[in-house]
Amino acid sequence: MHLLRALAVLVSGSPSLGIYLPLREYAGNTFFDQWDYWGNIDDTTWGNVTYLDRIDALAQRLTYVDANGHAIIRVDNTTDIANATLVNRPSVWPSFWTLGAGKMWPYAGEIDIIEGINLSNTNQMAMHSAIGCVQAENPGQTGMTTTSNCSLPDVGCVVVETKPNSFGADFNNAGGGVFATQIDVSGVYIWFWSRPDIPASITNAASTSNMDTTTFGTPSASWPSTTCDITELFGPQQLVLLTTLCGTWAGIPSIYSQTCPDNCITSNIIGTGSPTYDNAYWDIAYIRTYLAEGSEPLSSSSSEWY
């Protein structure tokens, strides 16, 4: 992954006519104030990383707000790893997703909004759930469905973006873009716009502006509730933003070789962190969350993976 200059909008709530009211904004100098730092190993995708706590991440400038007011979240590029040290620092796997709260995974659901690996230039969206959620045929989306069963172990129901510039170097070269997600009793929907295509309803919006999803057009990914009971299978969602290294997807040799030469470990693990991970960071202008008009916010508690 190179620079991800991502602007993200999360839209959630109960049924409405498309009008959503501002709930919370993560932006500027207070961006990190309402986030928890994991401070532990990656026990979700088993990437070979150790996530830092807030104090260490800020001290080492792996999370900070830059002069533009953007949140920067970096992979360590300063540590040298010797040949004999059994620590993996291979290919990158960034993701922005939501995790259902209060139940062991995946019984409160998971929604993957931004996810990709290695040198891919295409974003992949997905949902994970307990048994009973599948994507309907002809769901009304521009993306390409590759799996439709959301309870498929480790895979879920996957939609691959078909619009250009949705991930990686192409995303960066186009100046980034905006992702939006709507969680509604009618279904879950994800949109992506490259920088030149962002609708005026978003570019002209302030943090206090209402959001009208009827201006968004056809979503990139769509999971209608006609074949997936969102209310039953998806609880209150927590936002998760991370970059892992290697792991159970990016580091598999047969998958790694599709976009990268040699192999995950020998090409990335040995030696200096720079320049290997100089461009492995998120650059986020803001994340805004909204609630459907007339709805009440839901409380959430911590989730369990196992």
Side-chain angles (χ1 to χ4, degrees):
M1 181 191 74
H2 298 287
L3 166 65
L4 277 176
R5 195 174 302 153
L7 312 179
V9 180
L10 179 75
V11 184
S12 63
S14 54
S16 71
L17 297 177
I19 303 300
Y20 286 78
L21 310 181
L23 177 62
R24 181 179 298 127
E25 179 185 58
Y26 306 90
N29 290 329
T30 62
F31 181 95
F32 295 106
D33 290 357
Q34 299 184 73
W35 294 82
D36 296 323
Y37 285 63
W38 185 236
N40 209 331
I41 63 170
D42 175 7
D43 61 355
T44 60
T45 55
W46 298 107
N48 296 97
V49 300
T50 298
Y51 295 114
L52 300 184
D53 59 26
R54 179 187 300 272
I55 293 175
D56 288 338
L58 292 172
Q60 297 182 34
R61 288 187 62 78
L62 295 180
T63 61
Y64 62 94
V65 176
D66 69 8
N68 297 316
H70 290 191
I72 307 297
I73 305 170
R74 282 191 169 277
V75 172
D76 173 22
N77 68 333
T78 62
T79 303
D80 296 346
I81 296 179
N83 188 37
T85 306
L86 297 179
V87 178
N88 282 354
R89 187 185 56 191
S91 58
V92 290
W93 178 354
S95 56
F96 177 52
W97 49 291
T98 74
L99 173 63
K103 295 182 180 179
M104 189 167 59
W105 185 88
Y107 295 102
E110 173 185 335
I111 304 167
D112 300 331
I113 301 167
I114 306 173
E115 188 170 28
I117 57 172
N118 304 330
L119 298 181
S120 171
N121 285 312
T122 303
N123 185 45
Q124 175 175 297
M125 301 151 284
M127 293 211 309
H128 301 264
S129 74
I131 294 173
C133 179
V134 297
Q135 187 185 42
E137 294 186 11
N138 303 314
Q141 64 182 29
T142 60
M144 179 181 66
T145 297
T146 58
T147 59
S148 59
N149 182 359
C150 300
S151 63
L152 189 65
D154 299 324
V155 178
C157 44
V158 177
V159 177
V160 176
E161 181 63 75
T162 56
K163 295 179 181 178
N165 308 325
S166 65
F167 192 82
D170 289 350
F171 179 82
N172 304 327
N173 293 337
V178 170
F179 296 84
T181 300
Q182 180 183 16
I183 308 171
D184 193 272
V185 295
S186 66
V188 174
Y189 313 94
I190 299 175
W191 289 263
F192 163 70
W193 303 275
S194 185
R195 180 68 56 192
D197 306 318
I198 302 171
S201 59
I202 291 179
T203 57
N204 296 333
S207 61
T208 56
S209 301
N210 294 346
M211 191 59 62
D212 183 359
T213 60
T214 64
T215 66
F216 286 4
T218 304
S220 294
S222 172
W223 294 275
S225 61
T226 52
T227 55
C228 179
D229 190 337
I230 302 300
T231 303
E232 178 67 23
L233 296 172
F234 287 79
Q237 300 289 302
Q238 300 171 322
L239 303 181
V240 182
L241 184 61
L242 59 81
T243 301
T244 194
L245 303 178
C246 208
T248 55
W249 183 23
I252 296 175
S254 60
I255 295 175
Y256 178 85
S257 63
Q258 293 175 13
T259 58
C260 300
D262 303 320
N263 66 69
C264 183
I265 294 177
T266 59
S267 296
N268 301 277
I269 184 175
I270 306 302
T272 62
S274 178
T276 304
Y277 297 120
D278 287 356
N279 290 325
Y281 63 92
W282 297 80
D283 181 333
I284 305 171
Y286 62 82
I287 297 175
R288 292 173 181 163
T289 63
Y290 300 80
L291 192 65
E293 194 171 26
S295 299
E296 293 293 331
L298 296 175
S299 61
S300 63
S301 59
S302 298
S303 300
E304 299 180 23
W305 277 93
Y306 302 102

